[in-house]
Amino acid sequence: MSANANRVVIVTGGAQGIGEGIVRRFASHRETVIIADRQMATAEALARTLCDQGHEVIAMPIDLASPAACKALVTSVINAYGKLDVLIHNAGYFPLTPLADISEAILAQTLAVNLAAPFWLSQAAIPCMQAQGKGRILITSSVTGPRVAYPGLTHYAASKAGVNGFIRSAALELAHAGITVNGVEPGMIRTPAMENLGDTEHNAKIEALIPLGRLGMPADIAGAMFFLASDEAAYITGQTIVVDGGATLPESTAAL
């Protein structure tokens, strides 16, 4: 049995892509995992599959652009299970849009889902985690914004740079309560969302420039997330782990 068995874990955007990888990794270690996603059909199908394999996984709907919905989700989980051990905000919004064409609606949705949601989710989780004397808050950030740029993602880059600032400041505020706050910065990961960034030929060119010679997989991000949620990472807070196959190293042309 895993040393982390019976923990309660929330994963936003857990229905597919990186989120699905995270859900599968935590569920495989006998954690109770809540998939919080707006794509309920996909989330419920994943939950059924994992439950059929003997894991405890449930799907819950969430509108991450709504502060009230974010807080209601966390409160509902705490009321149902009596605790919350790991909060993972993985969901993201990033329609490829040139700066000149970004509308108020696109910018508002990007900032609400990517940057504001961690505030509302964390606020709802903090009292419970403080009472427990420990907790993990984890966020999927990105190399885009904090480290590199990508055409058509100015709005997304700004939100993820803000996420990294949130991680550092929140970690400092919550350390005294035994709550750690960390993140993972994925590079190019092979997910359905990659279709937003270009066609197959375009993505193949990017893959060829990555030092490790391949695009990342959701499992690569899930492994880093699971480590940050583990006892082995108990002394790590306010940090992000870059998982990009070496693409953002100064010598790599993939970052250009």
Side-chain angles (χ1 to χ4, degrees):
M1 178 181 293
S2 166
N4 296 324
N6 301 318
R7 291 193 305 183
V8 175
V9 182
I10 293 175
V11 182
T12 68
Q16 64 180 0
I18 289 173
E20 178 181 348
I22 294 170
V23 168
R24 289 182 177 276
R25 181 61 181 267
F26 279 82
S28 71
H29 286 265
R30 303 185 67 173
E31 319 253 17
T32 298
V33 184
I34 293 85
I35 304 172
D37 206 295
R38 65 177 182 173
Q39 301 183 57
M40 280 304 291
T42 306
E44 289 174 342
L46 176 59
R48 283 194 300 271
T49 297
L50 293 173
C51 287
D52 288 344
Q53 296 172 2
H55 305 303
E56 187 172 357
V57 179
I58 66 169
M60 296 181 66
I62 181 63
D63 175 9
L64 289 163
S66 165
C70 289
K71 295 177 181 180
L73 167 76
V74 175
T75 300
S76 178
V77 170
I78 293 171
N79 289 341
Y81 294 96
K83 65 174 183 173
L84 175 60
D85 301 288
V86 184
L87 169 63
I88 303 176
H89 179 51
N90 165 77
Y93 181 75
F94 53 101
L96 193 65
T97 310
L99 173 59
D101 297 331
I102 294 173
S103 64
E104 290 184 17
I106 288 176
L107 182 58
Q109 184 74 1
T110 301
L111 296 179
V113 173
N114 299 353
L115 182 57
F119 284 82
W120 317 134
L121 293 166
S122 297
Q123 282 184 351
I126 287 168
C128 176
M129 290 183 173
Q130 284 178 325
Q132 295 167 177
K134 61 180 180 179
R136 298 280 195 271
I137 297 174
L138 302 173
I139 305 175
T140 301
S141 183
S142 176
V143 296
T144 301
R147 300 177 192 276
V148 298
Y150 195 97
L153 291 180
T154 305
H155 50 314
Y156 177 75
S159 71
K160 291 302 184 178
V163 162
N164 281 22
F166 172 88
I167 288 169
R168 290 175 59 84
S169 295
L172 189 62
E173 285 194 30
L174 300 177
H176 71 281
I179 302 170
T180 63
V181 185
N182 293 294
V184 176
E185 296 180 31
M188 296 297 289
I189 308 299
R190 193 181 294 279
T191 69
M194 274 199 66
E195 296 176 3
N196 291 334
L197 304 182
D199 57 22
T200 301
E201 182 179 355
H202 174 266
N203 292 335
K205 290 179 180 178
I206 292 177
E207 184 172 32
L209 295 172
I210 294 173
L212 285 183
R214 67 174 178 87
L215 294 173
M217 299 299 291
D220 294 314
I221 307 305
M225 283 289 189
F226 190 77
F227 165 69
L228 289 172
S230 72
D231 291 340
E232 285 76 9
Y235 201 56
I236 299 173
T237 195
Q239 307 300 315
T240 59
I241 297 177
V242 176
V243 183
D244 70 348
T248 55
L249 293 172
E251 296 80 8
S252 172
T253 56
L256 300 178

